[in-house]
Amino acid sequence: MANFKLHLPFQPAGDQPNAITVLTEGLRRGLRHQTLFGVTGSGKTFTVANVIAKNDKPTLVLAHNKTLAAQLAQEYREFFPENAVHYFVSYYDYYQPEAYIAHSDTYIEKEAMINAEIDRLRHAATQALLTRTDVIIVASVSAIYGLGSPEAYEKVHVKIERGTTENRAALIRKLIGIYFERTNADLSPGQLRAIGNSLEFMPVNERAIYRATFSGDTITHIDQLDPVSRAKLAEPKSVFVFPAKHFITNEDERDRAIEDIKAELKEQLAKFKREEKPLEHERLKRRTLHDLALIRELGYTSGIENYSRHFDGRSPGEPPHTLLSYFPHKKDGSADFLTVIDESHVTVPQIGGMYAGDRSRKDVLIEYGFRLPSARDNRPLRFEEFEARIGQVVYTSATPGPYEKAHSEQVVEQVIRPTGLIDPELIVRGVSETGRYPGQIADFISEAGDVIRRGGRALATTLTKQMAEDLAAFLREKGIKAEYLHSDVKTIDRIDILTKFRKGGFDILVGVNLLREGLDLPEVELVGILDADKEGFLRSETSLIQTIGRAARNVLGRVILYADTMTGSLDRAIGETNRRRALQVAYNEKHGITPMTIKKEIHDIAASMRTEHQRTIDELLVLDTLAYKDDPKEFIKRKREEMAEAVEQLDFETAALIRDEIHTLEGSVPKTKKPRKRKPLSGG
């Protein structure tokens, strides 16, 4: 068995003991669907961690965005420090999918920026699943997108062992055969270099260099080295090296795939000829033959994933391999792992919506000759395919959706918090005449000022990204330290903003819908929901309850709902919150409990996603900031001289660090520009 070892920072309390018992017993009885209906701040993650430990099987935790996934991964690492807890999300910092807009005859080429560190974490996750059983993978919906075959990925790993006979040149060829790249510069994950009688390489899943030393054709030593200091960390007897890419194809399979692609091309060209589409015929022929030439010569081409069905040997329409394929399965093919779907009211619909959007885009590309029909099979799983590939499921949410309610064989309610905290006080104020000042913005500033003066934090939620940016700028103009957060902010930057917010780097965080589900911010005393009566997705009953929950981790928590009219959603959200408050107050009075604000350590949950290079820059910035502030121009001048000196000495790594530090510092100097005209924010 997996033998998960749960480190208990505290004992289960409130509704947690009953929830843990009932959910665990449900798993033992073979229940397929269960829901943990837990209010915000009731410790749903802690409850699930206890269930995972008792169930003792590899576990997939699905979250609906990267920020929440990173937070959950950090929490599970704290609960299971001796086990393998990994983070698996899309490795794109920026992704523009290939598309064609027919009415304007506009072709949009695929554009992507891959985050190498997140790619490393993805490899670490899949390798853990293939080598261990005590594994928890916290993933976004990237888990249902195509990934290389686990059998092919595992089959071609290279074992390097001390004392074995191995020709160095042959070992280099083996590593290049699993997509390692040769370099003479500093190593990055998935690279190797030959130095003297040794071979150094950095596995794609680690931040460490391995050096194999040869005497003739015998490996005499294996050393694990720190990539920056080159200090020896260990002397392992052997190392298993997995491929540098998830998509692995041997030469025979590649030749077969090329023939299959050519056959499909011939068939599709004949179809375009029958339909008298010469432009589409020529476009498809030229592009596909170009791709085939690159695949034949280099083994790779941009957009190779569109041919994945041929490389995998799948039939038309057959689903691709995904992260789910790497989890253990029983002999009959059924899943032998637990799936936890966090914030299920959002994550379940998100999983269900991925396929349709991808299919409609691919259909247009195929119709106009940009892609072969087999491109449709490079896709996310359909929802029914996802269901078939997972086993027992526990959904967690403060507002379970229709799917969970309809499918769950039992629903476990967790309303009583271990801390005795009750749901926040709700205040409804009109938009036009609010409090001491006219207008919701002015009233919120006044209320937030009281909170900030006693050391608390405040959140404001708006209806649009532009409004979030404008409000944050308006608050800063008023001398209030504020930042905004929305989906256009990069993943790691989002996490940095939240960490800085918790540490007191600024006092008010403005957002749209990223401030709703799952974010754990116990310092927040006040939440202002602007335009709360604008009925719609962002002001639905579910959204309102989730947003209200952001103030539920602090004993002073309050929520102000700015509304001139009482919508049905407002009415239901207020009613549900008051129902929970009544249960919580009664429990506290019965057991003599005094509510306490949640105390939670502040971790930099983005640290694991930064490169060693970036962490070194961050450390330099901490050391150099004071000197920079004293005389920015003189400081930058000295840094440029240091960079030039490093280049003269051929110390390019140090030069790169200084260069990036200079760029970061120069980027922090506010540039003078004409302010953009904004609509007044003082009113509704």
Side-chain angles (χ1 to χ4, degrees), residues 479-525:
I480 299 169
K481 292 184 286 184
E483 297 287 349
Y484 66 83
L485 189 71
H486 55 59
S487 59
D488 287 348
V489 178
K490 289 182 180 179
T491 304
I492 294 179
D493 292 340
R494 291 182 212 170
I495 299 167
D496 281 337
I497 288 169
L498 291 170
T499 302
K500 186 179 176 184
F501 180 55
R502 289 200 61 203
K503 289 180 177 179
F506 58 95
D507 302 310
I508 297 179
L509 181 58
V510 186
V512 187
N513 64 340
L514 287 175
L515 301 182
R516 288 169 35 222
E517 285 84 11
L519 296 184
D520 194 350
L521 306 168
E523 295 77 16
V524 171
E525 293 183 16

Side-chain angles (χ1 to χ4, degrees), residues 66 91-97 111-115 490:
K66 294 179 179 181
Y91 53 25
Y92 294 117
D93 276 339
Y94 170 77
Y95 183 67
Q96 169 62 59
E111 195 176 343
M113 288 175 58
I114 292 177
N115 185 311
K490 289 182 180 179

